[in-house]
Amino acid sequence: MGKRLRENITSRYVEAANSLTSKKARRKIVAYVESYDDILFWRTVLDRFEDETRFFEVMLPSRGTLKRGKKSVLMNFISENVGRDMIACVDADYDYLLQGITPTSAKILNSPYVFHTYVYAIENYQCYASGLHNVCVMVTLNDHAIFDFEEYMRQYSLACYPLFVWSVWMYRTGNYNDFSLTDFCKVIDPGGFNVFHPQSSIDHLRGKVMRKVHYLQSRYPKAKASYRRLQQEMEQLGVTPETTYLYIQGHHIFDTVVVPILNKVCNKLRMERENEINRTSVHRTQMRNEISCYENSIENIGSMLKKSVGYMASPQFRRLQADVERYLESCDQRRQKPGGGPGAEGSQAM
């Protein structure tokens, strides 16, 4: 038994604390997440399930240390403690696609009290293509749609897909030292980008990807059948060639793909708005005042992207919320059974 109180806080502890409150008090469910940036995302996931009977408190796994990340959440603190009143919320990374072949993947997929994003990470949700125009509007206060984000991310995904399957295959077969996730992200860097001629960057990317695919095909000539089986399995898991960007490393998509595009698009939109102010101003003083007012209203791209909620209509997000709904229904059914009060279930290990 741990010597510190926080080391002994389990689902049973929270459940017992709930039982000490009045019968009209709402039941608290503690939801542990990986990092500060995850708190807002998981709040959007859980918020709709709060009512007069329950509420969630989203927090980091330890207030006493600065340890962050999935390993800290699952292995160092949560592993043996989750249950009806304490859950863990993590990024899926490749663990969802590995389908239990590693210990961490098995723990994430098999526990009813561990919830994962399905997409690689919360950054992938923040970069959800159909919400990117709204991010531009939040940043620039200009609603002129000058770039088709959905089509670009679809083309980007299609270009990356053949090599993405190889990347997952490498981790499934234990050959990731030959082609790591870092190696994969280097290849799928789109490089230079032109707002009005985006196809050139896609063509350049497709060429890099196919050269690497041909190399891996020659390096692993017997992998053809297993590669095709993996393609079919990933399709059953919800991964399609058109949505590959949702399952690629989140920081890469955020920092290397989406933010550079948003920078250039937003720069064009700002210039467009400033030119409009220049044309319509009656005199220079009015122009300077309007430009100053506009510049003070402009927001930071990274901050607005992290606040984007365009992903809430995505199939992956709805699937995640369906998992939470099933968990809550299961908890309610247990509580309605005789002997289903505090401590009846105990803490279920993953």
Side-chain angles (χ1 to χ4, degrees):
M1 181 176 290
K3 296 180 180 180
R4 298 181 181 179
L5 177 61
R6 67 177 177 83
E7 294 173 355
N8 295 310
I9 296 180
T10 66
S11 178
R12 292 181 65 183
Y13 178 95
V14 179
E15 190 173 356
N18 282 328
S19 70
L20 295 176
T21 61
S22 70
K23 292 183 178 180
K24 294 183 179 180
R26 293 193 300 168
R27 163 186 160 221
K28 180 172 78 171
I29 303 174
V30 175
Y32 283 111
V33 299
E34 298 183 53
S35 69
Y36 294 113
D37 288 339
D38 296 339
I39 293 175
L40 177 59
F41 170 77
W42 286 101
R43 168 47 55 188
T44 66
V45 174
L46 301 170
D47 189 61
R48 61 164 283 200
F49 300 106
E50 294 189 333
D51 55 27
E52 69 279 0
T53 66
R54 61 175 171 251
F55 72 97
F56 292 89
E57 184 174 354
V58 183
M59 62 176 66
L60 298 174
S62 173
R63 293 174 176 171
T65 72
L66 292 178
K67 292 181 180 179
R68 300 290 177 262
K70 184 182 301 178
K71 187 174 181 180
S72 175
V73 175
L74 293 177
M75 305 299 183
N76 299 344
F77 189 70
I78 298 298
S79 183
E80 305 299 326
N81 301 329
V82 291
R84 291 188 301 188
D85 290 347
M86 180 184 290
I87 61 176
C89 304
V90 299
D91 289 337
D93 298 342
Y94 268 8
D95 292 313
Y96 170 56
L97 301 180
L98 293 180
Q99 285 295 291
I101 67 172
T102 66
T104 299
S105 177
K107 288 181 177 182
I108 289 173
L109 298 181
N110 295 336
S111 173
Y113 307 117
V114 176
F115 300 92
H116 65 86
T117 52
Y118 284 103
V119 302
Y120 190 97
I122 65 169
E123 288 84 3
N124 301 80
Y125 277 124
Q126 292 164 351
C127 295
Y128 194 64
S130 63
L132 294 179
H133 173 68
N134 286 346
V135 173
C136 289
V137 176
M138 289 190 290
V139 171
T140 67
L141 305 180
N142 186 343
D143 197 23
H144 185 193
I146 65 172
F147 186 75
D148 190 341
F149 290 102
E150 293 186 61
E151 179 60 18
Y152 182 84
M153 295 309 294
R154 190 182 77 86
Q155 292 289 342
Y156 177 83
S157 294
L158 288 169
C160 294
Y161 180 73
L163 193 58
F164 172 72
V165 179
W166 271 109
S167 178
V168 177
W169 186 91
M170 289 291 178
Y171 280 83
R172 284 255 190 142
T173 58
N175 292 301
Y176 50 84
N177 286 331
D178 285 349
F179 186 57
S180 68
L181 188 58
T182 301
D183 297 330
F184 171 60
C185 288
K186 287 180 180 178
V187 176
I188 61 170
D189 183 342
F193 171 80
N194 187 306
V195 174
F196 300 110
H197 301 285
Q199 189 60 42
S200 59
S201 70
I202 296 295
D203 293 340
H204 175 66
L205 170 64
R206 188 176 290 114
K208 292 195 297 178
V209 165
M210 295 315 299
R211 284 193 293 272
K212 192 64 178 182
V213 166
H214 292 153
Y215 166 77
L216 293 173
Q217 288 173 337
S218 63
R219 180 77 172 80
Y220 297 93
K222 297 181 180 181
K224 187 175 182 179
S226 59
Y227 178 95
R228 288 182 176 176
R229 286 195 299 271
L230 178 57
Q231 278 184 305
Q232 295 171 354
E233 183 179 344
M234 288 203 301
E235 184 174 346
Q236 294 172 353
L237 294 175
V239 183
T240 66
E242 294 82 4
T243 61
T244 309
Y245 78 97
L246 293 174
Y247 303 91
I248 294 171
Q249 187 183 57
H251 283 296
H252 172 82
I253 296 298
F254 191 100
D255 296 329
T256 309
V257 181
V258 171
V259 168
I261 294 175
L262 286 175
N263 274 324
K264 293 191 176 183
V265 171
C266 288
N267 283 340
K268 296 289 184 183
L269 292 173
R270 280 195 290 263
M271 290 176 60
E272 186 179 88
R273 179 65 74 213
E274 290 174 359
N275 288 337
E276 180 185 9
I277 293 172
N278 286 333
R279 288 196 312 271
T280 58
S281 296
V282 176
H283 46 72
R284 293 184 62 83
T285 300
Q286 183 187 41
M287 181 191 70
R288 287 195 297 268
N289 290 340
E290 287 293 324
I291 291 288
S292 177
C293 181
Y294 176 64
E295 289 178 348
N296 290 333
S297 301
I298 291 174
E299 298 288 349
N300 176 268
I301 290 175
S303 297
M304 291 300 100
L305 195 55
K306 290 180 179 181
K307 294 178 182 178
S308 173
V309 292
Y311 55 79
M312 294 182 71
S314 69
Q316 296 80 5
F317 187 80
R318 292 199 299 266
R319 187 175 179 184
L320 169 55
Q321 287 197 314
D323 289 345
V324 176
E325 188 169 16
R326 281 192 295 271
Y327 143 73
L328 292 172
E329 289 175 351
S330 176
C331 291
D332 291 342
Q333 290 170 3
R334 289 195 185 99
R335 278 186 167 80
Q336 293 170 4
K337 293 180 180 179
E345 175 198 58
S347 176
Q348 178 172 337
M350 289 185 291

